[in-house]
Amino acid sequence: MSRVIGITGSIAVGKSSVTQYLRTHGYCVLDADEISHQALEKNSGCYHQIIAHFDCLDENGNISRQKLGQIVFHDAKKKALLESIIHPYVKTTLQEGIETSQEPLIFLDVPLLYETHMDEMCDSVIVVYVDEMTQMKRLMARNHIDETQAQHLMSQQISIERKKDMGDYIIDNRYGFEELYQNIERALKDLKDETVCD
């Protein structure tokens, strides 16, 4: 039976570097963001629900992620409505991926793992961590935004400090890639040791 490991963090902590490392080393990673993008496609069950509530189509009848993002950025009610459509789709698709995988370890890459209560699907949770000052600097540089905009985006999620306290394993990503990879390998060793014990 597979062991399900959630991977989460907060915006701009470098979680994708961790999941990329896992993928290139042959681990099964199910990506909630990829599934969320699939939810916007015409052949998904979410497409008609979304366009019924949001004026977000481009000239080709596709959902424009840019338009949709602008609509929900400053409107909490519309953001919650969009999430109520997409999150169940993501959860169901992740569950299907878990049930069909034969891998001993399955990693769920879910940015909003705790916010959406998808940690309940996991046996353990890895939190990718940087301190909030580093997080803000990286977010401002990555998104080309000012401090006020960065604070707004960070406030949409549970703080990284609180998530650090909630996680079973912490991967520190405040330093270079070499140290990050060493931290990932340490977490993997602990996970494999626990899997053998189970």
Side-chain angles (χ1 to χ4, degrees):
M1 188 172 173
S2 301
R3 188 155 180 229
V4 180
I5 313 299
I7 302 180
T8 194
S10 291
I11 191 168
V13 300
K15 184 172 53 58
S16 60
S17 297
V18 175
T19 54
Q20 181 64 24
Y21 180 92
L22 292 171
R23 278 198 166 115
T24 57
H25 286 73
Y27 290 95
C28 173
V29 180
L30 305 179
D31 189 326
D33 275 347
E34 288 179 6
I35 298 168
S36 295
H37 294 166
Q38 293 167 17
L40 305 183
E41 295 172 2
K42 287 181 180 178
N43 61 352
S44 84
C46 301
Y47 174 85
H48 292 289
Q49 293 180 68
I50 293 169
I51 65 171
H53 294 285
F54 299 94
D55 180 16
C56 60
L57 292 180
D58 64 17
E59 62 276 11
N60 298 314
N62 298 310
I63 291 174
S64 164
R65 289 173 54 204
Q66 184 177 4
K67 282 185 181 179
L68 197 55
Q70 289 171 347
I71 291 168
V72 302
F73 187 74
H74 287 298
D75 191 324
K77 285 185 178 177
K78 287 184 177 177
K79 180 172 178 284
L81 174 59
L82 180 63
E83 288 173 346
S84 74
I85 296 169
I86 291 179
H87 288 169
Y89 176 84
V90 171
K91 189 170 184 177
T92 299
T93 307
L94 287 172
Q95 193 61 53
E96 289 170 354
I98 292 168
E99 290 169 1
T100 56
S101 176
Q102 303 297 315
E103 298 294 327
L105 288 176
I106 302 171
F107 293 92
L108 305 187
D109 178 359
V110 187
L112 300 177
L113 187 79
Y114 290 118
E115 291 86 345
T116 57
H117 307 292
M118 290 190 204
D119 56 305
E120 295 168 3
M121 302 169 66
C122 304
D123 297 303
S124 301
V125 174
I126 293 173
V127 172
V128 183
Y129 172 80
V130 301
D131 60 89
E132 289 185 339
M133 185 60 70
T134 301
Q135 180 189 7
M136 181 172 291
K137 286 178 180 176
R138 289 184 183 178
L139 180 56
M140 289 166 66
R142 188 191 78 181
N143 289 26
H144 309 290
I145 56 178
D146 61 26
E147 188 173 324
T148 301
Q149 291 170 305
Q151 284 178 332
H152 173 75
L153 287 172
M154 288 167 63
S155 72
Q156 304 297 301
Q157 303 178 348
I158 296 171
S159 78
I160 190 60
E161 298 297 339
R162 188 168 156 217
K163 287 183 180 179
K164 182 185 177 186
D165 292 336
M166 296 165 78
D168 300 297
Y169 302 91
I170 310 302
I171 292 179
D172 193 329
N173 191 23
R174 286 177 290 179
Y175 309 105
F177 282 115
E178 187 175 340
E179 185 150 348
L180 172 64
Y181 297 155
Q182 289 173 357
N183 290 337
I184 295 170
E185 284 297 335
R186 275 194 286 271
L188 286 169
K189 183 180 182 303
D190 290 342
L191 282 166
K192 288 171 184 173
D193 288 346
E194 284 197 13
T195 301
V196 170
C197 290
D198 290 346

